[in-house]
Amino acid sequence: DLAPATRLIVKDGDATRMELAQGDAYFVVKHDPRRTLSIKAGDYSVSDIGTTFGINLSSDAMTVAVAEGHVSVTPDEGEATRVWAGQQLIARRKLSTTQLTAVQPTDVGSWRQGRLVYNNAPLSVVAADIARYSGKTITVDPVISNRPFSGVLVIGDGSGLLANLSNLMAITYEEKGDRVRISPAPVR
């Protein structure tokens, strides 16, 4: 399943070799040890022989969350990390860091049920998701781009996501046409 504004490319007509160019995708792969699915996402490759997982790729991070089974996540340069059911790997592109955290298996691909569920996700990742659903270009003040967010946002038509996020975090946002800037809330 592909979320809005997602691009998934099948390489050379081979359905076992793909590239997630942008967005959010949910995969249910039938177990077959003779066949390995390989998905390139940014500077990482995700390999699987049968499981249920999601990959989210934004300009700032690549996240792999596993609902069932496990996947192998390998950076272009470095060692593979195995991500098991109930775990997510967040790889920050500009910071060259990775973080392995817990995730509820039922929350993997939650956008398919009209919710965006986060557990310590960087604000820049949340903003990239909101941009896909709202149709706006969103930038985040670098001072708060790494601020973690945990919570649930109801997607609806996408127009209320920013207001809901600002109600849950100490942030403010300014809209100018189809562009939005998220900043820290003023100190009281």
Side-chain angles (χ1 to χ4, degrees):
D1 292 341
L2 302 179
T6 296
R7 257 186 13 167
L8 182 66
I9 302 163
V10 176
K11 293 186 172 188
D12 301 321
D14 181 357
T16 64
R17 293 181 47 237
M18 299 180 202
E19 178 182 357
L20 182 64
Q22 68 183 39
D24 207 345
Y26 182 81
F27 300 89
V28 178
V29 182
K30 181 179 174 188
H31 184 79
D32 183 349
R34 296 170 293 156
R35 183 195 72 216
T36 300
L37 174 65
S38 179
I39 303 165
K40 180 80 171 151
D43 299 329
Y44 292 83
S45 293
V46 179
S47 300
D48 173 57
I49 60 170
T51 191
T52 302
F53 64 101
I55 304 175
N56 181 310
L57 182 65
S58 70
S59 62
D60 185 54
M62 187 276 311
T63 302
V64 176
V66 181
E68 294 177 11
H70 65 273
V71 298
S72 179
V73 181
T74 308
D76 287 346
E77 297 179 16
E79 298 293 318
T81 300
R82 192 150 301 211
V83 183
W84 295 88
Q87 293 182 318
Q88 69 180 354
L89 177 83
I90 301 173
R92 301 295 303 273
R93 297 171 99 182
K94 295 173 186 163
L95 301 177
S96 298
T97 62
T98 59
Q99 175 185 12
L100 194 61
T101 62
V103 64
Q104 289 295 321
T106 54
D107 291 340
V108 176
S110 61
W111 51 268
R112 297 164 51 243
Q113 287 82 38
R115 301 174 300 124
L116 299 174
V117 180
Y118 301 98
N119 182 20
N120 288 317
L123 181 56
S124 61
V125 170
V126 177
D129 287 345
I130 291 173
R132 278 199 306 279
Y133 289 97
S134 68
K136 299 197 179 275
T137 301
I138 300 176
T139 58
V140 180
D141 185 317
V143 171
I144 60 171
S145 67
N146 294 324
R147 186 180 290 174
F149 174 70
S150 294
V152 178
L153 300 173
V154 176
I155 298 169
D157 66 2
S159 65
L161 288 168
L162 281 165
N164 291 340
L165 180 65
S166 70
N167 288 334
L168 297 171
M169 293 188 79
I171 63 167
T172 186
Y173 62 94
E174 181 180 355
E175 293 185 73
K176 291 184 180 178
D178 66 344
R179 303 183 79 68
V180 177
R181 171 114 173 129
I182 297 176
S183 304
V187 179
R188 295 179 184 191

